[in-house]
């Protein structure tokens, strides 16, 4: 069958590749550079499995900037356009989703199904179904890690579809058909419950990160060994040894916006934990800033802007807030970030020669450290205890 995917980001691109193993997929995006790269079977984002599948697998996949070409005749139209959190209106900006829905309804066959994969507020899909007087708009959350998006589609932790209609079962089977895992937990819910699953799942992960960051803050101030404490706690199988490596704060594209959106959804509901998770991340970043300023550095070198290793994406990385605060404190800054070709980032010099960077910085701040800093270990300030994400 023909399947259209709107948005060539982590979600849309990984789904396009997954489904194009068995079906005709046309990926639609408004950015010509992404479309051109994909039509050359080159990945516009850094992801090992995506790059491997594009170069080695036989995929029935094309990309276009023409939504009519993509949507016309498609049995399924998957919407994976961005929904950034808007601080002014205090909710996700779903403009791109609604614009795509209107185009899809105008172009697609009357029996086609529209699948929302973009993250949306709780209750959004139901309101959209009512607005456009149709039940063929379905929400299905994604659970993908940055840099491992295709891997997580090939080996899904679970498949959740926010509908119990026959087309929902058909879509779940499409996802299962392209995966390499046979024993996948598939759950069909109402749309609003599916939206809540997505936001609560990511907020739980943010809570774990905030918890171990706060533990690390305590250990640093009290001059205790945080790794020994964490190892002892996580030896309990009920707690487990995951999402426990301290950082400068949770960041990336999903967790900051999803926690804020869930907190807004709690506006008329008693809560303590959800609001604490959001504020704990702010406190953690302020603690990191205080620890840096306490060292009275002359020139601070920021080692990498990316949120995690093996990634070329530094949207909403915690280091951005730390950089801004250091700038406000009139600290001289330099940045080592090999993915940036220009000479400056936010008016800060970018030095792509690591040796020069090490020499010029008298304090190196690294959210995630690396063996390439081992020769200047005494200069490095990091809270990365386990050398992993």
């Amino acid at each position: 069958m023909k399947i259209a995917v709107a948005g060539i980001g982590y979600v849309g691109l990984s789904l396009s590749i997954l489904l194009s193993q068995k079906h005709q997929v046309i990926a639609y995006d408004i950015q010509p550079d992404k479309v051109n790269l994909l039509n050359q079977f080159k990945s516009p984002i850094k992801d090992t499995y995506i790059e491997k599948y594009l170069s080695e697998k036989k995929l029935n996949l094309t990309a276009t900037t023409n939504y009519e070409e993509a949507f016309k005749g498609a049995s399924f139209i998957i919407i994976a356009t961005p929904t950034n959190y808007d601080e002014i209106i205090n909710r996700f900006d779903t403009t791109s989703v609604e614009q795509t829905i209107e185009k899809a309804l105008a172009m697609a066959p009357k029996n086609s199904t529209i699948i929302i994969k973009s993250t949306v507020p709780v209750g959004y899909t139901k309101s959209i179904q009512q607005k456009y007087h149709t039940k063929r708009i379905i929400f299905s959350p994604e659970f993908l890690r940055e840099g491992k998006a295709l891997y997580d589609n090939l080996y899904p932790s679970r498949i959740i579809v926010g509908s119990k209609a026959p087309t929902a079962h058909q879509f779940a089977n499409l996802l299962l058909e392209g995966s390499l895992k046979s024993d996948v937990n598939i759950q069909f819910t109402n749309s609003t419950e599916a939206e809540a699953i997505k936001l609560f799942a990511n907020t739980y992960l943010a809570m774990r990160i905030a918890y171990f960051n706060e533990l690390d803050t305590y250990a640093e101030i009290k001059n205790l060994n945080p790794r020994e404490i964490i190892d002892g706690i996580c030896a309990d199988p009920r707690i487990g040894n995951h999402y426990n490596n301290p950082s400068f704060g949770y960041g990336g594209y999903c967790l900051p916006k999803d926690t804020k959106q869930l907190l807004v959804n709690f506006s008329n509901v008693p809560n303590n934990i959800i609001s604490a998770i959001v504020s704990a991340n702010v406190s953690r970043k302020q603690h990191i800033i205080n620890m840096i300023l306490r060292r009275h550095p002359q020139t601070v070198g920021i080692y990498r802007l990316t949120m995690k290793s093996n990634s070329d994406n530094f949207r909403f990385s915690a280091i951005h807030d730390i950089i801004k605060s250091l700038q406000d404190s009139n600290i001289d800054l330099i940045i080592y970030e090999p993915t940036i070709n220009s000479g400056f980032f936010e008016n800060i010099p970018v030095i792509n020669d690591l040796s020069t960077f090490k020499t010029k910085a008298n304090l190196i701040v690294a959210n995630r450290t690396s063996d390439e800093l081992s020769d200047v270990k005494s200069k490095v300030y990091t809270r990365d205890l386990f050398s992993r994400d």
Side-chain angles (χ1 to χ4, degrees):
M1 69 176 68
K2 178 181 176 180
I3 301 170
V5 178
I8 311 179
Y10 283 97
V11 178
L13 181 55
S14 60
L15 282 170
S16 296
I17 293 170
L18 180 85
L19 297 170
S20 64
Q21 296 176 95
K22 305 282 187 180
H23 302 276
Q24 178 195 9
V25 175
I26 299 185
Y28 160 68
D29 201 283
I30 61 173
Q31 297 185 38
D33 54 339
K34 284 187 175 183
V35 168
N36 291 336
L37 282 172
L38 189 53
N39 281 330
Q40 298 173 55
F41 290 91
K42 296 179 181 178
S43 177
I45 59 178
K46 186 173 177 60
D47 184 299
T48 302
Y49 270 74
I50 286 176
E51 293 164 0
K52 178 181 176 66
Y53 269 61
L54 283 175
S55 63
E56 298 179 6
K57 299 290 184 178
K58 186 176 181 179
L59 305 174
N60 190 352
L61 174 62
T62 56
T64 181
T65 57
N66 186 333
Y67 73 87
E68 295 181 2
E69 177 187 351
F71 298 164
K72 189 175 182 179
S75 299
F76 285 91
I77 298 174
I78 301 171
I79 300 177
T81 57
T83 51
N84 295 323
Y85 187 83
D86 190 320
E87 300 283 355
I88 296 175
I89 63 174
N90 276 335
R91 57 167 284 158
F92 288 140
D93 181 356
T94 55
T95 304
S96 67
V97 175
E98 291 184 42
Q99 288 174 343
T100 308
I101 288 173
E102 290 176 358
K103 292 174 182 176
L105 290 172
M107 294 303 306
K110 298 299 181 183
N111 61 347
S112 64
T113 302
I114 299 169
I115 307 288
I116 299 175
K117 276 285 181 180
S118 307
T119 306
V120 295
V122 178
Y124 176 80
T125 304
K126 185 177 180 180
S127 69
I128 285 297
Q129 290 173 344
Q130 293 170 347
K131 179 178 179 179
Y132 295 106
H133 307 290
T134 179
K135 290 287 188 181
R136 60 190 179 105
I137 302 173
I138 294 173
F139 176 74
S140 176
E142 52 81 16
F143 304 100
L144 310 179
R145 293 169 293 174
E146 199 169 289
K148 293 188 176 181
L150 180 54
Y151 178 91
D152 289 338
N153 267 314
L154 293 168
Y155 301 94
S157 59
R158 70 277 206 200
I159 293 172
I160 294 174
V161 186
S163 171
K164 300 175 185 179
T167 51
H169 289 260
Q170 187 180 7
F171 179 69
N173 287 333
L174 286 174
L175 298 180
L176 188 62
E177 181 184 51
S179 76
L180 300 177
K181 185 179 176 183
S182 57
D183 57 337
V184 180
N185 178 23
I186 301 177
Q187 183 179 357
F188 299 96
T189 71
N190 294 321
S191 62
T192 306
E193 280 77 359
E195 292 159 350
I197 288 168
K198 170 65 176 179
L199 294 185
F200 273 99
N202 272 355
T203 301
Y204 177 81
L205 297 177
M207 179 181 69
R208 276 194 68 108
I209 295 169
Y211 176 85
F212 285 103
N213 279 345
E214 207 152 284
L215 182 159
D216 181 67
T217 296
Y218 177 86
E220 187 173 22
I221 289 176
K222 297 292 185 179
N223 198 28
L224 303 176
N225 186 324
R227 179 161 185 166
E228 290 182 356
I229 300 171
I230 293 172
D231 283 341
I233 291 171
C234 294
D236 186 331
R238 296 171 299 176
I239 298 174
N241 195 34
H242 59 280
Y243 276 78
N244 63 352
N245 190 25
S247 66
F248 292 166
Y250 62 76
Y253 182 59
C254 293
L255 299 191
K257 68 183 182 70
D258 290 3
T259 52
K260 290 177 181 177
Q261 177 61 64
L262 184 59
L263 182 57
V264 171
N265 280 116
F266 261 92
S267 60
N268 297 316
V269 179
N271 80 94
N272 296 106
I273 293 175
I274 305 302
S275 57
I277 293 168
V278 175
S279 60
N281 205 45
V282 176
S283 297
R284 174 61 171 181
K285 286 183 278 192
Q286 187 56 56
H287 167 74
I288 297 299
I289 293 162
N290 292 342
M291 292 296 102
I292 294 170
L293 294 177
R294 187 178 293 184
R295 286 162 169 76
H296 303 292
Q298 293 176 330
T299 300
V300 171
I302 304 297
Y303 175 78
R304 305 303 306 269
L305 298 172
T306 51
M307 185 191 70
K308 59 199 299 186
S309 58
N310 299 318
S311 172
D312 59 353
N313 177 32
F314 41 84
R315 294 176 300 179
F316 308 105
S317 178
I319 197 67
H320 287 280
D321 290 328
I322 291 165
I323 287 173
K324 185 177 185 307
S325 185
L326 293 175
Q327 283 180 307
D328 292 342
S329 298
N330 295 317
I331 301 294
D332 287 334
L333 297 170
I334 56 174
I335 295 171
Y336 173 73
E337 180 48 69
T339 65
I340 296 179
N341 296 321
S342 58
F344 290 87
F345 176 82
E346 301 290 341
N347 298 319
I348 302 169
V350 175
I351 298 174
N352 286 333
D353 181 75
L354 185 58
S355 296
T356 304
F357 171 80
K358 291 176 182 177
T359 301
K360 289 192 172 184
N362 70 306
L363 177 68
I364 296 173
V365 174
N367 185 39
R368 288 291 175 253
T369 190
S370 166
D371 289 340
E372 64 185 10
L373 295 178
S374 58
D375 59 326
V376 288
K377 195 173 181 179
S378 61
K379 281 187 175 185
V380 176
Y381 176 73
T382 183
R383 302 313 301 162
D384 181 4
L385 304 181
F386 299 101
S387 297
R388 56 174 167 77
D389 293 323

